[in-house]
Amino acid sequence: MKKLLVILTAAGALFMGCTKSKSQANTIKQMVGEWKIESYSEAKTDDLYGASMSIVEEDDSFIIGGYSGVNYFSQTISKKDDVKLGENMGCTRKMGAPEENDFEAAFLNTLMKSDSWKVEDGKLVITAGEEKIVFAPAPKEME
């Protein structure tokens, strides 16, 4: 009887772990595509410096990358791990004008400390506490 209880407990834990990872992968899958910034609550200017993001699905991961006003950022998230979006983000290190640098620092900080990424009404909404970034689908390139 104890063996059965141990086996059922282990199987339950394994199932819950898989469900969590699949749930994260399904959530991110809804975000796959090209996104252009539409609004940012922390922007101290109307200029959003062309910030954009793309989310691409690979075999066993999602690749998130984009432009933050001066530099490019990227992150790879494994479909198997429960990784917080925005964690361990890499970034190029070019310098821009002071106002561009200020925007970029705030923008990247919001992404890295984000607590919610979701698609609402066809837009990608990222929040970190009271801070909010809204992305609209990027227009398709003309061929």
Side-chain angles (χ1 to χ4, degrees), residues 49-134:
Y49 302 102
S52 61
M53 183 180 331
S54 67
I55 302 174
V56 178
E57 183 176 11
E58 292 286 323
D59 291 334
D60 60 349
S61 62
F62 292 96
I63 300 170
I64 300 170
Y67 180 69
S68 53
V70 178
N71 290 285
Y72 293 90
F73 63 91
S74 65
Q75 176 182 7
T76 300
I77 297 174
S78 170
K79 290 181 182 177
K80 297 175 183 143
D81 299 327
D82 188 20
V83 176
K84 182 177 177 184
L85 294 167
E87 218 172 59
N88 301 319
M89 189 175 291
C91 188
T92 59
R93 298 285 179 216
K94 297 185 289 183
M95 290 300 295
E99 60 275 4
E100 293 171 325
N101 291 334
D102 290 345
F103 170 85
E104 180 176 76
F107 175 82
L108 290 174
N109 188 47
T110 299
L111 288 181
M112 288 187 282
K113 68 179 189 178
S114 63
D115 48 32
S116 172
W117 290 48
K118 58 188 169 187
V119 176
E120 290 179 347
D121 300 323
K123 297 181 180 184
L124 176 58
V125 179
I126 300 170
T127 57
E130 297 296 315
E131 299 169 26
K132 183 177 187 178
I133 303 172
V134 178

Coordinates of all heavy atoms in Angstrom, one line a residue, residues 49-134:
Y49 N 10.3 55.6 -29.7 CA 11.6 55.2 -30.3 C 11.6 53.9 -31.1 O 12.6 53.2 -31.2 CB 12.7 55.1 -29.2 CG 12.8 56.5 -28.5 CD1 12.3 56.6 -27.2 CD2 13.5 57.5 -29.1 CE1 12.4 57.8 -26.6 CE2 13.6 58.8 -28.5 CZ 13.0 58.9 -27.2 OH 13.1 60.1 -26.6
G50 N 10.4 53.6 -31.7 CA 10.3 52.4 -32.6 C 10.5 51.1 -31.9 O 10.9 50.1 -32.6
A51 N 10.3 51.0 -30.6 CA 10.5 49.8 -29.9 C 9.6 48.7 -30.5 O 8.4 49.0 -30.9 CB 10.2 50.0 -28.4
S52 N 10.1 47.5 -30.6 CA 9.4 46.4 -31.2 C 9.9 45.1 -30.6 O 10.9 45.0 -29.9 CB 9.6 46.4 -32.7 OG 11.0 46.2 -33.0
M53 N 9.1 44.0 -30.9 CA 9.5 42.7 -30.3 C 9.0 41.6 -31.3 O 7.9 41.8 -32.0 CB 8.8 42.5 -29.0 CG 9.2 41.2 -28.3 SD 8.4 40.9 -26.7 CE 8.2 42.5 -26.0
S54 N 9.7 40.6 -31.4 CA 9.2 39.4 -32.1 C 9.4 38.2 -31.2 O 10.3 38.1 -30.4 CB 10.0 39.2 -33.4 OG 11.3 38.8 -33.1
I55 N 8.4 37.3 -31.3 CA 8.5 36.0 -30.6 C 8.3 34.9 -31.6 O 7.4 34.8 -32.4 CB 7.3 36.0 -29.5 CG1 7.5 37.1 -28.6 CG2 7.4 34.6 -28.8 CD1 6.4 37.3 -27.5
V56 N 9.4 34.0 -31.6 CA 9.5 33.0 -32.6 C 9.5 31.6 -31.9 O 10.1 31.5 -30.9 CB 10.8 33.1 -33.4 CG1 10.9 32.0 -34.4 CG2 10.8 34.5 -34.1
E57 N 8.8 30.7 -32.4 CA 8.7 29.3 -31.8 C 9.7 28.4 -32.5 O 9.7 28.4 -33.8 CB 7.3 28.7 -31.9 CG 7.2 27.4 -31.3 CD 5.8 26.8 -31.3 OE1 4.9 27.4 -32.0 OE2 5.6 25.8 -30.6
E58 N 10.6 27.8 -31.8 CA 11.6 26.8 -32.3 C 11.1 25.5 -31.8 O 10.1 25.4 -31.2 CB 13.0 27.1 -31.7 CG 13.6 28.4 -32.3 CD 14.0 28.3 -33.7 OE1 14.5 27.2 -34.1 OE2 13.9 29.3 -34.4
D59 N 11.8 24.4 -32.1 CA 11.4 23.1 -31.7 C 11.1 22.9 -30.2 O 10.1 22.5 -29.8 CB 12.5 22.0 -32.1 CG 12.6 21.9 -33.6 OD1 11.6 22.2 -34.3 OD2 13.7 21.5 -34.1
D60 N 12.1 23.3 -29.4 CA 12.0 23.1 -28.0 C 12.0 24.4 -27.2 O 12.3 24.4 -26.0 CB 13.0 22.1 -27.5 CG 14.4 22.6 -27.7 OD1 14.6 23.6 -28.5 OD2 15.3 22.0 -27.2
S61 N 11.9 25.6 -27.9 CA 12.0 26.9 -27.1 C 11.3 28.0 -27.9 O 10.8 27.8 -29.0 CB 13.5 27.2 -27.0 OG 14.1 27.4 -28.2
F62 N 11.2 29.1 -27.2 CA 10.7 30.3 -27.8 C 11.8 31.3 -27.8 O 12.5 31.4 -26.8 CB 9.5 30.9 -27.1 CG 8.3 30.0 -27.1 CD1 8.0 29.1 -26.2 CD2 7.4 30.1 -28.2 CE1 6.9 28.3 -26.2 CE2 6.3 29.3 -28.3 CZ 6.0 28.4 -27.3
I63 N 12.0 32.1 -28.9 CA 13.0 33.1 -28.9 C 12.3 34.5 -28.9 O 11.5 34.7 -29.8 CB 13.9 33.0 -30.1 CG1 14.6 31.6 -30.1 CG2 15.0 34.1 -30.2 CD1 15.3 31.2 -31.4
I64 N 12.6 35.3 -27.9 CA 12.1 36.6 -27.8 C 13.2 37.6 -28.1 O 14.3 37.5 -27.6 CB 11.5 36.8 -26.4 CG1 10.4 35.8 -26.1 CG2 11.0 38.3 -26.3 CD1 10.0 35.8 -24.6
G65 N 12.9 38.5 -29.0 CA 13.9 39.5 -29.4 C 13.3 40.8 -29.8 O 12.1 40.8 -30.1
G66 N 14.0 41.8 -29.8 CA 13.4 43.1 -30.2 C 14.4 44.2 -30.1 O 15.6 44.1 -29.9
Y67 N 13.8 45.4 -30.4 CA 14.5 46.7 -30.4 C 14.0 47.5 -29.3 O 12.7 47.7 -29.2 CB 14.4 47.3 -31.8 CG 15.1 48.7 -31.9 CD1 16.4 48.7 -31.9 CD2 14.3 49.8 -32.0 CE1 17.1 49.9 -32.0 CE2 15.0 51.1 -32.1 CZ 16.4 51.1 -32.1 OH 17.0 52.3 -32.3
S68 N 14.8 48.1 -28.5 CA 14.3 48.9 -27.3 C 14.6 50.4 -27.4 O 14.6 51.0 -26.4 CB 15.0 48.3 -26.0 OG 16.4 48.2 -26.2
G69 N 14.8 50.9 -28.6 CA 15.0 52.3 -28.8 C 16.4 52.6 -29.2 O 16.6 53.6 -29.9
V70 N 17.4 51.9 -28.7 CA 18.8 52.1 -29.0 C 19.4 50.8 -29.3 O 20.2 50.6 -30.2 CB 19.6 52.8 -27.9 CG1 21.0 53.0 -28.2 CG2 19.0 54.2 -27.5
N71 N 19.2 49.8 -28.5 CA 19.8 48.5 -28.5 C 18.8 47.4 -28.9 O 17.6 47.6 -28.8 CB 20.5 48.2 -27.2 CG 21.7 49.0 -27.0 OD1 22.7 48.8 -27.6 ND2 21.6 50.0 -26.1
Y72 N 19.4 46.2 -29.1 CA 18.6 45.0 -29.4 C 18.7 44.1 -28.2 O 19.7 44.0 -27.6 CB 19.1 44.3 -30.7 CG 18.8 45.1 -31.9 CD1 19.8 46.0 -32.4 CD2 17.6 45.0 -32.6 CE1 19.5 46.8 -33.5 CE2 17.4 45.8 -33.7 CZ 18.3 46.7 -34.2 OH 18.1 47.4 -35.3
F73 N 17.6 43.5 -27.9 CA 17.5 42.5 -26.7 C 17.1 41.2 -27.2 O 16.4 41.0 -28.3 CB 16.6 43.0 -25.6 CG 15.2 43.2 -26.0 CD1 14.3 42.2 -25.8 CD2 14.7 44.4 -26.6 CE1 13.0 42.3 -26.2 CE2 13.4 44.5 -26.9 CZ 12.5 43.5 -26.7
S74 N 17.4 40.1 -26.4 CA 17.0 38.8 -26.8 C 16.9 37.9 -25.6 O 17.6 38.1 -24.6 CB 17.8 38.2 -27.9 OG 19.1 38.0 -27.4
Q75 N 16.1 36.8 -25.7 CA 16.0 35.8 -24.6 C 15.5 34.6 -25.3 O 14.6 34.6 -26.1 CB 15.1 36.3 -23.5 CG 14.8 35.3 -22.5 CD 13.9 35.7 -21.4 OE1 13.2 36.8 -21.5 NE2 13.7 34.9 -20.4
T76 N 16.0 33.4 -24.8 CA 15.4 32.1 -25.2 C 14.8 31.5 -24.0 O 15.4 31.5 -22.9 CB 16.6 31.2 -25.8 OG1 17.2 31.9 -26.9 CG2 16.0 29.9 -26.2
I77 N 13.6 31.0 -24.2 CA 12.8 30.3 -23.1 C 12.6 28.9 -23.6 O 12.0 28.7 -24.6 CB 11.5 31.1 -22.8 CG1 11.8 32.5 -22.4 CG2 10.7 30.3 -21.8 CD1 10.6 33.3 -22.2
S78 N 13.0 28.0 -22.8 CA 12.8 26.5 -23.0 C 11.3 26.2 -22.8 O 10.7 26.7 -21.8 CB 13.7 25.7 -22.1 OG 13.3 24.3 -22.2
K79 N 10.7 25.4 -23.6 CA 9.3 25.0 -23.4 C 9.2 24.0 -22.2 O 8.2 23.8 -21.7 CB 8.8 24.2 -24.7 CG 8.6 25.1 -25.8 CD 8.1 24.4 -27.0 CE 7.9 25.2 -28.2 NZ 7.5 24.5 -29.4
K80 N 10.4 23.5 -21.8 CA 10.4 22.5 -20.7 C 10.5 23.1 -19.4 O 10.2 22.5 -18.4 CB 11.5 21.5 -20.9 CG 11.3 20.7 -22.2 CD 12.5 19.8 -22.4 CE 12.4 19.1 -23.8 NZ 13.6 18.9 -24.5
D81 N 11.0 24.3 -19.3 CA 11.2 25.0 -18.0 C 10.2 26.0 -17.7 O 9.6 26.6 -18.6 CB 12.6 25.6 -18.0 CG 13.7 24.6 -18.2 OD1 13.6 23.5 -17.7 OD2 14.7 25.0 -18.8
D82 N 9.9 26.3 -16.5 CA 9.0 27.3 -16.1 C 9.9 28.6 -15.8 O 10.3 28.9 -14.7 CB 8.2 26.9 -14.8 CG 7.1 27.9 -14.5 OD1 6.7 28.7 -15.4 OD2 6.7 27.9 -13.3
V83 N 10.2 29.3 -16.9 CA 11.0 30.5 -16.8 C 10.2 31.7 -16.9 O 9.3 31.8 -17.7 CB 12.1 30.5 -17.9 CG1 12.9 31.7 -17.9 CG2 12.9 29.2 -17.8
K84 N 10.4 32.7 -16.0 CA 9.7 33.9 -16.0 C 10.2 34.7 -17.3 O 11.4 34.9 -17.5 CB 10.0 34.7 -14.8 CG 9.3 36.0 -14.7 CD 9.5 36.8 -13.4 CE 8.8 38.1 -13.4 NZ 9.1 38.8 -12.2
L85 N 9.2 35.2 -18.0 CA 9.5 36.0 -19.2 C 10.3 37.3 -18.7 O 9.9 37.9 -17.7 CB 8.2 36.4 -19.9 CG 7.5 35.2 -20.6 CD1 6.1 35.7 -21.0 CD2 8.3 34.7 -21.7
G86 N 11.3 37.6 -19.4 CA 12.1 38.8 -19.1 C 13.3 38.5 -18.2 O 14.2 39.3 -18.1
E87 N 13.4 37.2 -17.7 CA 14.5 36.8 -16.9 C 15.7 36.5 -17.8 O 15.5 36.0 -18.9 CB 14.1 35.5 -16.2 CG 14.6 35.4 -14.8 CD 13.9 34.2 -14.1 OE1 14.1 33.1 -14.6 OE2 13.3 34.4 -13.1
N88 N 16.9 36.8 -17.4 CA 18.1 36.5 -18.2 C 18.1 37.1 -19.6 O 18.5 36.4 -20.5 CB 18.3 35.0 -18.2 CG 18.4 34.4 -16.8 OD1 19.1 35.0 -16.0 ND2 17.8 33.3 -16.6
M89 N 17.7 38.3 -19.8 CA 17.6 38.9 -21.1 C 19.0 39.5 -21.5 O 19.6 40.1 -20.6 CB 16.6 40.0 -21.1 CG 16.3 40.6 -22.4 SD 14.9 41.8 -22.3 CE 13.5 40.7 -21.9
G90 N 19.4 39.2 -22.7 CA 20.7 39.8 -23.2 C 20.4 41.0 -24.0 O 19.3 41.2 -24.5
C91 N 21.4 41.9 -24.1 CA 21.2 43.2 -24.7 C 22.5 43.7 -25.3 O 23.5 43.5 -24.7 CB 20.6 44.2 -23.7 SG 20.1 45.7 -24.5
T92 N 22.4 44.3 -26.5 CA 23.6 45.0 -27.1 C 23.9 46.2 -26.2 O 23.0 46.6 -25.4 CB 23.4 45.4 -28.5 OG1 22.3 46.2 -28.6 CG2 23.2 44.1 -29.4
R93 N 25.0 46.8 -26.4 CA 25.4 48.0 -25.5 C 25.8 49.2 -26.3 O 26.9 49.7 -26.1 CB 26.5 47.5 -24.6 CG 26.2 46.4 -23.6 CD 25.3 46.9 -22.5 NE 24.9 45.8 -21.7 CZ 23.8 45.7 -21.1 NH1 22.8 46.6 -21.3 NH2 23.5 44.7 -20.3
K94 N 25.0 49.7 -27.2 CA 25.3 50.9 -27.9 C 24.8 52.1 -27.1 O 23.8 51.9 -26.3 CB 24.6 50.9 -29.3 CG 25.1 49.8 -30.2 CD 24.5 49.9 -31.6 CE 23.1 49.5 -31.6 NZ 22.4 49.5 -32.9
M95 N 25.3 53.2 -27.3 CA 24.9 54.5 -26.7 C 24.0 55.3 -27.6 O 24.2 55.3 -28.8 CB 26.1 55.3 -26.2 CG 26.9 54.7 -25.1 SD 25.9 54.4 -23.6 CE 25.5 56.1 -23.1
G96 N 23.0 55.9 -27.0 CA 22.1 56.8 -27.8 C 22.0 58.1 -27.1 O 22.8 58.4 -26.2
A97 N 21.1 58.9 -27.6 CA 20.9 60.2 -27.0 C 20.3 60.0 -25.6 O 19.7 59.0 -25.3 CB 19.9 61.0 -27.8
P98 N 20.6 61.0 -24.7 CA 20.1 60.8 -23.3 C 18.6 60.4 -23.1 O 18.3 59.5 -22.4 CB 20.4 62.1 -22.6 CG 21.5 62.7 -23.4 CD 21.3 62.2 -24.8
E99 N 17.8 61.0 -23.9 CA 16.3 60.7 -23.8 C 16.0 59.3 -24.3 O 15.2 58.6 -23.8 CB 15.5 61.8 -24.5 CG 15.7 61.9 -26.0 CD 16.8 62.9 -26.4 OE1 17.5 63.4 -25.5 OE2 17.0 63.1 -27.6
E100 N 16.8 58.9 -25.3 CA 16.6 57.5 -25.8 C 17.1 56.5 -24.8 O 16.5 55.5 -24.5 CB 17.4 57.3 -27.1 CG 16.9 58.0 -28.3 CD 17.8 58.0 -29.5 OE1 19.1 58.0 -29.3 OE2 17.3 58.0 -30.6
N101 N 18.2 56.8 -24.2 CA 18.8 55.9 -23.1 C 17.8 55.8 -21.9 O 17.7 54.7 -21.4 CB 20.2 56.4 -22.7 CG 21.2 56.2 -23.7 OD1 21.1 55.4 -24.6 ND2 22.2 57.1 -23.7
D102 N 17.2 56.9 -21.6 CA 16.3 56.9 -20.4 C 15.1 56.1 -20.8 O 14.6 55.3 -19.9 CB 15.8 58.4 -20.1 CG 16.9 59.2 -19.5 OD1 18.0 58.6 -19.1 OD2 16.8 60.4 -19.4
F103 N 14.5 56.2 -22.0 CA 13.4 55.4 -22.4 C 13.8 53.9 -22.4 O 13.0 53.1 -21.8 CB 12.9 55.8 -23.8 CG 11.9 54.9 -24.4 CD1 10.6 55.0 -24.1 CD2 12.3 53.8 -25.2 CE1 9.6 54.1 -24.6 CE2 11.4 52.9 -25.7 CZ 10.0 53.1 -25.4
E104 N 14.9 53.6 -23.0 CA 15.3 52.2 -23.1 C 15.5 51.6 -21.7 O 15.1 50.5 -21.5 CB 16.6 52.1 -23.9 CG 17.1 50.7 -24.0 CD 18.3 50.6 -24.9 OE1 19.4 51.0 -24.5 OE2 18.1 50.2 -26.1
A105 N 16.2 52.3 -20.8 CA 16.4 51.8 -19.5 C 15.1 51.4 -18.8 O 14.9 50.4 -18.2 CB 17.2 52.7 -18.6
A106 N 14.1 52.3 -18.9 CA 12.8 52.1 -18.2 C 12.1 50.9 -18.9 O 11.5 50.1 -18.3 CB 12.0 53.4 -18.3
F107 N 12.1 50.9 -20.2 CA 11.5 49.9 -21.0 C 12.0 48.5 -20.7 O 11.3 47.6 -20.4 CB 11.7 50.2 -22.5 CG 11.1 49.2 -23.5 CD1 9.8 49.1 -23.8 CD2 12.0 48.3 -24.1 CE1 9.3 48.2 -24.7 CE2 11.5 47.3 -25.0 CZ 10.2 47.3 -25.3
L108 N 13.3 48.4 -20.7 CA 14.0 47.1 -20.4 C 13.7 46.6 -19.0 O 13.5 45.5 -18.7 CB 15.5 47.1 -20.8 CG 15.8 47.1 -22.2 CD1 17.3 47.3 -22.4 CD2 15.3 45.9 -23.0
N109 N 13.8 47.6 -18.1 CA 13.5 47.3 -16.7 C 12.1 46.8 -16.5 O 11.8 45.8 -15.8 CB 13.7 48.6 -15.8 CG 13.6 48.3 -14.4 OD1 14.2 47.3 -13.9 ND2 12.9 49.1 -13.6
T110 N 11.1 47.4 -17.2 CA 9.7 46.9 -17.1 C 9.6 45.4 -17.7 O 9.0 44.6 -17.1 CB 8.8 47.8 -17.9 OG1 8.8 49.1 -17.3 CG2 7.3 47.3 -17.9
L111 N 10.3 45.2 -18.8 CA 10.3 43.8 -19.3 C 10.9 42.8 -18.4 O 10.4 41.7 -18.1 CB 11.1 43.7 -20.7 CG 10.4 44.4 -21.9 CD1 11.3 44.2 -23.1 CD2 9.1 43.8 -22.2
M112 N 12.1 43.2 -17.8 CA 12.8 42.3 -16.9 C 12.0 42.0 -15.6 O 12.2 40.9 -15.0 CB 14.2 42.7 -16.7 CG 15.0 42.5 -17.9 SD 16.8 42.9 -17.7 CE 16.8 44.6 -17.7
K113 N 11.3 43.0 -15.1 CA 10.6 42.7 -13.8 C 9.1 42.4 -14.0 O 8.4 42.4 -13.1 CB 10.8 43.9 -12.9 CG 10.2 45.2 -13.3 CD 10.4 46.3 -12.2 CE 9.6 47.5 -12.6 NZ 9.7 48.6 -11.6
S114 N 8.7 42.2 -15.3 CA 7.3 42.0 -15.6 C 6.7 40.8 -14.8 O 7.4 39.9 -14.5 CB 7.2 41.7 -17.1 OG 7.9 40.5 -17.4
D115 N 5.5 41.0 -14.5 CA 4.7 39.9 -13.8 C 3.6 39.3 -14.6 O 3.0 38.4 -14.2 CB 4.3 40.4 -12.4 CG 3.5 41.7 -12.4 OD1 2.9 42.0 -13.4 OD2 3.6 42.5 -11.4
S116 N 3.3 39.9 -15.7 CA 2.2 39.4 -16.6 C 2.5 39.7 -18.0 O 2.8 40.9 -18.4 CB 0.9 40.0 -16.1 OG -0.1 39.7 -17.0
W117 N 2.4 38.7 -18.9 CA 2.4 38.8 -20.3 C 1.2 38.2 -20.8 O 0.9 37.0 -20.5 CB 3.6 38.1 -21.0 CG 5.0 38.8 -20.7 CD1 5.5 39.2 -19.5 CD2 6.0 39.0 -21.7 NE1 6.8 39.6 -19.7 CE2 7.1 39.5 -21.0 CE3 6.1 38.8 -23.0 CZ2 8.3 39.9 -21.6 CZ3 7.2 39.1 -23.7 CH2 8.3 39.7 -23.0
K118 N 0.3 38.9 -21.6 CA -0.9 38.2 -22.1 C -1.4 38.9 -23.4 O -1.0 40.1 -23.6 CB -2.0 38.2 -21.0 CG -2.4 39.5 -20.5 CD -3.3 39.4 -19.3 CE -3.5 40.7 -18.6 NZ -4.3 40.6 -17.4
V119 N -2.2 38.2 -24.1 CA -2.8 38.8 -25.3 C -4.2 39.2 -25.0 O -5.0 38.3 -24.5 CB -2.7 37.8 -26.5 CG1 -3.4 38.4 -27.7 CG2 -1.3 37.5 -26.9
E120 N -4.5 40.5 -25.2 CA -5.9 41.0 -24.9 C -6.3 41.8 -26.1 O -5.6 42.7 -26.5 CB -5.9 41.9 -23.7 CG -5.6 41.3 -22.4 CD -5.6 42.4 -21.2 OE1 -5.6 43.6 -21.5 OE2 -5.7 41.9 -20.1
D121 N -7.5 41.4 -26.6 CA -8.0 42.1 -27.8 C -7.0 42.2 -28.9 O -6.9 43.2 -29.6 CB -8.5 43.5 -27.4 CG -9.7 43.4 -26.4 OD1 -10.5 42.5 -26.4 OD2 -9.7 44.3 -25.5
G122 N -6.3 41.1 -29.2 CA -5.3 41.1 -30.3 C -4.0 41.9 -30.0 O -3.2 42.0 -30.9
K123 N -3.8 42.4 -28.8 CA -2.6 43.1 -28.5 C -1.9 42.4 -27.4 O -2.5 41.8 -26.5 CB -3.0 44.5 -28.0 CG -3.6 45.3 -29.1 CD -4.0 46.7 -28.7 CE -4.6 47.4 -29.9 NZ -4.9 48.8 -29.6
L124 N -0.5 42.5 -27.4 CA 0.3 41.9 -26.3 C 0.5 43.0 -25.2 O 0.9 44.1 -25.5 CB 1.7 41.6 -26.9 CG 2.7 41.1 -26.0 CD1 2.2 39.8 -25.3 CD2 4.0 40.8 -26.7
V125 N 0.0 42.6 -24.0 CA 0.1 43.5 -22.9 C 1.0 43.0 -21.8 O 0.9 41.8 -21.4 CB -1.3 43.7 -22.3 CG1 -1.3 44.6 -21.1 CG2 -2.3 44.2 -23.3
I126 N 2.0 43.7 -21.5 CA 3.0 43.3 -20.5 C 2.9 44.3 -19.3 O 3.0 45.5 -19.5 CB 4.4 43.4 -21.1 CG1 4.5 42.4 -22.3 CG2 5.5 43.0 -20.1 CD1 5.8 42.6 -23.1
T127 N 2.8 43.8 -18.1 CA 2.7 44.6 -17.0 C 3.8 44.2 -15.9 O 4.2 43.1 -15.8 CB 1.3 44.6 -16.3 OG1 1.1 43.2 -16.0 CG2 0.2 45.1 -17.2
A128 N 4.2 45.2 -15.2 CA 5.1 45.1 -14.0 C 4.5 46.0 -13.0 O 4.8 47.2 -13.0 CB 6.5 45.4 -14.4
G129 N 3.7 45.5 -12.1 CA 3.1 46.3 -11.1 C 2.1 47.2 -11.8 O 1.2 46.8 -12.6
E130 N 2.3 48.5 -11.7 CA 1.4 49.5 -12.3 C 1.9 49.9 -13.7 O 1.2 50.6 -14.5 CB 1.4 50.8 -11.5 CG 0.7 50.6 -10.1 CD -0.7 50.2 -10.2 OE1 -1.5 50.8 -11.0 OE2 -1.2 49.2 -9.5
E131 N 3.1 49.5 -14.1 CA 3.7 49.8 -15.4 C 3.1 48.9 -16.4 O 2.9 47.7 -16.2 CB 5.2 49.7 -15.3 CG 5.9 50.6 -14.3 CD 7.4 50.2 -14.1 OE1 8.0 49.6 -15.0 OE2 7.9 50.5 -13.0
K132 N 2.9 49.5 -17.6 CA 2.2 48.7 -18.7 C 2.8 49.1 -20.0 O 2.8 50.2 -20.4 CB 0.7 49.0 -18.6 CG -0.1 48.2 -19.6 CD -1.6 48.6 -19.3 CE -2.6 47.8 -20.1 NZ -4.0 48.2 -19.7
I133 N 3.1 48.0 -20.8 CA 3.6 48.2 -22.2 C 2.5 47.5 -23.0 O 2.2 46.3 -22.8 CB 4.9 47.6 -22.4 CG1 6.0 48.2 -21.5 CG2 5.3 47.8 -23.9 CD1 7.4 47.5 -21.6
V134 N 2.0 48.1 -24.1 CA 1.1 47.5 -25.0 C 1.7 47.5 -26.4 O 2.2 48.5 -26.9 CB -0.2 48.3 -25.0 CG1 -1.2 47.7 -26.0 CG2 -0.9 48.4 -23.7

